[in-house]
Amino acid sequence: MTVAPLTPLPPLRDVIQRHGLSANKALGQNFLFDQQLLDRIARVPGDLHDQDVLEVGPGPGGLTRALLLAGAKVTAIERDHRCIPALEELGAAFPGRLRLIEGDALEIDAPSLFEGRPHIASNLPYNVGTALFVGWLSSDWRPWWQSLTLMFQREVADRIVASANDDAYGRLAVLAQWRSAARIAMPVHRSAFTPPPKVMSAVVHVVPTDAPDGVSLKVLERLTAAAFGQRRKMLRQSLKAVPGAIDAAETLGIDVTRRAETVSVAEFVTLARVLSV
């Protein structure tokens, strides 16, 4: 269900030119102008009509306007003061539907901003994207958010959705998949951005699932840190840093001559459960 703005929206390129904006490399910014692409991203979480959405790093508001047109109530956290006037203009076109917070998303207590569980949708700044993502995945479960729809560099996106025996498989895949479902919703060519980054990108969609019973996140993190910290070594060597891990693996029938990249998410979870007692 599309929500019409109070006043016609000017082309995003005109907004950027009028406000003298340019992407700040130090802030990891890359702007998206393709409204059809932005509308597709806004549809990834499903029907957003009257749903709360948190957006981090909206910049001049390309994805923001797509979310607002989709009917969302958007809370946008923007660190770059230069972008605030453009976002305020966008808010005026959608009265009562855009809440602006100027600040660093890494320092703001985002859950306290919402009474319910928002969706999170962002073209994340490249320099803080992974840190924010890990923080959201490490929250209490079920988490304070309903879904994550996030733009990453393609290399990071591949690491999030990778399976055992994939080159990209590692700690990030286990963290993303042990109690949530992650998929690549769409690839995004570098030419879609201004300025074009050196790498391709992709939109990742993550939905929380039930957490496996009896598994401590801290234990799972310790296991994966040890295993993937020495990923070329056999488990019998890399897991020495985790007391009881080698004995538990052998009891479970996990061959300790294997390497970390061959151990599935389910096997890491099973091993973590034994060590969480």
Side-chain angles (χ1 to χ4, degrees):
M1 182 176 179
T2 302
V3 173
L6 194 64
T7 55
L9 299 178
L12 193 59
R13 289 185 184 275
D14 292 355
V15 173
I16 288 173
Q17 185 175 17
R18 180 159 43 84
H19 288 279
L21 297 176
S22 60
N24 186 323
K25 188 174 182 179
L27 295 178
Q29 292 175 331
N30 295 92
F31 298 156
L32 279 172
F33 293 116
D34 186 335
Q35 195 60 49
Q36 288 187 330
L37 172 61
L38 292 164
D39 290 340
R40 285 175 60 204
I41 296 171
R43 289 196 293 269
V44 168
D47 184 5
L48 290 180
H49 186 70
D50 281 340
Q51 294 285 307
D52 283 318
V53 175
L54 171 65
E55 183 185 8
V56 173
L63 180 58
T64 317
R65 65 168 64 190
L67 294 167
L68 291 167
L69 288 167
K73 295 178 289 184
V74 179
T75 296
I77 300 175
E78 179 54 65
R79 181 181 173 186
D80 187 354
H81 180 72
R82 302 174 307 149
C83 295
I84 299 300
L87 292 167
E88 288 176 339
E89 287 182 4
L90 183 57
F94 294 89
R97 304 195 75 85
L98 176 59
R99 174 173 52 166
L100 288 177
I101 298 173
E102 186 175 352
D104 187 338
L106 288 171
E107 299 175 357
I108 290 172
D109 180 15
S112 68
L113 301 175
F114 302 93
E115 293 183 0
R117 297 171 62 226
H119 296 274
I120 301 177
S122 296
N123 171 20
L124 287 173
Y126 281 167
N127 56 352
V128 297
T130 302
L132 286 167
F133 183 62
V134 169
W136 292 330
L137 289 174
S138 301
S139 61
D140 292 337
W141 220 256
R142 282 195 172 222
W144 56 275
W145 43 269
Q146 288 192 58
S147 73
L148 306 174
T149 302
L150 307 172
M151 181 84 73
F152 288 104
Q153 296 178 45
R154 182 61 195 246
E155 178 185 356
V156 177
D158 288 341
R159 287 168 54 203
I160 290 168
V161 304
S163 301
N165 295 303
D166 290 347
D167 289 342
Y169 183 65
R171 295 180 67 188
L172 194 57
V174 178
L175 179 63
Q177 297 174 40
W178 80 281
R179 55 182 182 179
S180 60
R183 67 181 178 91
I184 291 182
M186 68 180 76
V188 181
H189 197 274
R190 57 185 295 273
S191 62
F193 295 91
T194 300
K198 295 180 180 179
V199 296
M200 299 298 189
S201 298
V203 176
V204 174
H205 185 56
V206 179
V207 178
T209 58
D210 291 335
D213 291 334
V215 180
S216 162
L217 172 60
K218 289 184 178 180
V219 171
L220 187 64
E221 288 178 330
R222 196 179 313 133
L223 269 176
T224 54
F228 290 106
Q230 303 181 73
R231 62 185 300 141
R232 291 303 167 201
K233 293 186 177 181
M234 297 179 185
L235 294 176
R236 67 184 176 196
Q237 181 65 33
S238 63
L239 292 183
K240 281 183 177 179
V242 183
I246 295 174
D247 288 343
E250 290 176 335
T251 300
L252 292 168
I254 298 174
D255 185 351
V256 293
T257 65
R258 293 164 62 188
R259 292 176 172 82
E261 64 262 31
T262 72
V263 180
S264 69
V265 174
E267 287 175 312
F268 273 118
V269 167
T270 301
L271 184 55
R273 180 180 287 114
V274 172
L275 297 173
S276 297
V277 176

